[in-house]
Amino acid sequence: MKSPQESLAMSQVSVTLCNIGNMRIAVVPKGDSGRVVIEVDPGLKRRLYSALAIEGSTLKDWFITAAGTYVKEREQPSLPEIDNKKTDHRQ
């Protein structure tokens, strides 16, 4: 088993930082934890939290709704359901 220092060192090695405008994005390996980590301009963060507070929402609720809508709009539409029930032709 790895020591906490070894685990920390390995996780630090796997982080890539990108600067895009006023945002610095930390790209970390995809995992199964369910966590999403981004770094944004502190001013934008304050304004976002203020707007969400006015609406009585949280960042998590907003993100889940926005991400769900984004993904759903880009999914391939499903075909109409076909009735696969076998018809009993015996009478």
Side-chain angles (χ1 to χ4, degrees), residues 23-26 36-40 63:
M23 294 189 308
R24 193 173 92 180
I25 301 173
V36 176
V37 179
I38 61 169
E39 188 172 323
V40 298
F63 180 81

Side-chain angles (χ1 to χ4, degrees), residues 60-87:
K60 180 179 178 179
D61 292 339
W62 173 80
F63 180 81
I64 289 171
T65 299
T69 300
Y70 182 84
V71 170
K72 189 172 188 175
E73 289 172 352
R74 284 150 184 82
E75 288 177 336
Q76 183 176 0
S78 59
L79 297 173
E81 289 192 33
I82 299 172
D83 187 6
N84 289 329
K85 294 179 184 174
K86 292 183 180 178
T87 305

